[in-house]
Amino acid sequence: MSESVELEVLSTLPPIISQVSGSLGQNAILENNNDTHPGIQNPPGIPKHILPYLNVSYVIGVLAIPMSCLGLVTNPINVVVFSKLNDTVSISLLGMAIADFLVCFTTLYGAVGELKEVQKAILIYFSIHPREMMYLFAGLPNSHFARITLTISAFITLERCLCITMPVKVKMILTSRRCKVIMFFCFLINLVQAVPNYYSYVFVWKFYPPLNKSILGYTTTEELQEKIKFTGPFVLTYFYVNFTIIVICTIILIVVLNKKKSWRETVTTTTTSAKESNQVSSKELKVIKLMVMVSSLFIVCNLPTTSIYLANEIDTRISLQGSKYYLYMLLGYIAFFAQTINSSVNIFIYYFYSTNFRVTFNKLFGVKEKKEMKS
């Protein structure tokens, strides 16, 4: 393939709905456009103000590869360790580790699929539109798996918050078995949400003159879009409700447990010595540190996702179909990278802030624990 043909073919729209002519199921011609593949230098007809967005997106996509590889290593370790523990928090964190692994997996092959060399090979040898297929089988699944992590994080912070305010009732209601059922429904609800998204797309062959052959991609129709029009506001509301629960419960955890810590440091009952009281306070302080660190990391890493929703609400042109799709793509790359960080580095928080996790990890992997790290 010559360089000019390569530029023309790879300068197709990013993973957005392409406008095609002809009826569905027939060969169609992709309309001319001014987009490009990130990383291709000085492609013809590309506005200069768009190039920085595309190049930064490309760099972020490349950085996501090693980060997602880290998550593919750390999350199976989390699964193994938490499967050895049977308390409700460990069961929830086990479910989140599985969701995080799926996030990292889809991020990895989605990021690799954005490399120019990989796209060219897919285009030539498999006659498949690489960016459109990556959107359907990497981008969309990644967002749904990330929402599973969102749901589980909201449940964990809410459960911990209730355990502090009404510990006896929560422990009686939320057994390990019921927690497993809740985890199952966290996955089921979010996977069901994916069905309407895929229902709105139809595979179609598109003719590419530079290659003189048809390439398999996708299209959509107004009729299909109308049938799933309700899903947009639902997903947006679902995200904000869960994100708000995480933020509010995290704040409550900090306030309530800090008050308990201060109280235990100043009050000594007739049955509890000052030393024992401080030990209990130290143990509860470790709980708050663990949950606050996990939830705070989640909040920070999901701010880019929140910014995408807000940006689209403020300016509808910042969308996959809008004229500012290049800005939307940049925010999307940042959001995916941030979510990948959140899904990859939790193991370090668990190890340093959870005694049970650290002890179990050390036993499983034969790590000798230093005395100063013991609780």
Side-chain angles (χ1 to χ4, degrees), residues 165-209:
T165 56
M166 50 182 77
V168 178
K169 290 183 179 180
V170 173
K171 289 180 180 179
M172 290 178 60
I173 297 174
L174 193 61
T175 62
S176 296
R177 183 176 181 179
R178 289 173 180 173
C179 189
K180 293 176 182 177
V181 174
I182 292 174
M183 289 301 102
F184 171 78
F185 277 101
C186 284
F187 278 82
L188 181 62
I189 291 171
N190 286 279
L191 292 178
V192 168
Q193 290 182 25
V195 175
N197 290 98
Y198 285 100
Y199 180 76
S200 64
Y201 297 105
V202 177
F203 289 112
V204 59
W205 290 96
K206 306 173 183 180
F207 183 72
Y208 281 73

